[in-house]
Each structure stands twice: as structure tokens, then as C-alpha cells.
Amino acid sequence: MDRFIFTMIAGILAGFALLKVPLDIPFLSSFQTIITAIAIFAVVVFSFVLIYKAIMTLFGK
């Protein structure tokens, strides 16, 4: 497999891991919405890139 694909999968996994981070510390709890938004954005972007690359591979480009 291509290294690029492994990097995209790692980005998706990192986004999911960031969603599961406990933010019980008072300092971090103020950033909970920002961290959640970054995690969701990372998962969505990396997933779309993988889907795009898969479609381009299927059509031979």
C-alpha cells in the first residue's frame, strides 16, 4: 500500500482519539468545543481525501 494512505488513516484515527480525550482538568474543559470541532474536522477531511483517492484509483486516474 501507499504511504499516503497510511498517513490518511492515521489522521482519521488521531481525530477519533482526540474525540475520546477526557477533558476533566478545568484548564482544558474550556477548550472542549474547540478540540471537538478540530477532531471532527480532521476525521471528515481525511475521510474525504481517502474517498477521493479511491474514486480516482477506480477510474484509473
Side-chain angles (χ1 to χ4, degrees):
M1 274 180 122
D2 192 23
R3 249 183 149 159
F4 178 75
I5 294 173
F6 285 130
T7 305
M8 293 296 114
I9 293 172
I12 293 170
L13 291 176
F16 279 121
L18 194 57
L19 281 173
K20 295 294 182 179
V21 171
L23 301 172
D24 297 337
I25 302 171
F27 173 72
L28 291 178
S29 65
S30 61
F31 295 111
Q32 184 173 5
T33 56
I34 295 170
I35 291 173
T36 303
I38 291 171
I40 291 171
F41 181 74
V43 170
V44 168
V45 167
F46 288 125
S47 296
F48 278 139
V49 170
L50 274 178
I51 291 169
Y52 174 77
K53 292 295 273 185
I55 290 172
M56 289 297 118
T57 301
L58 285 174
F59 290 124
K61 291 184 179 183

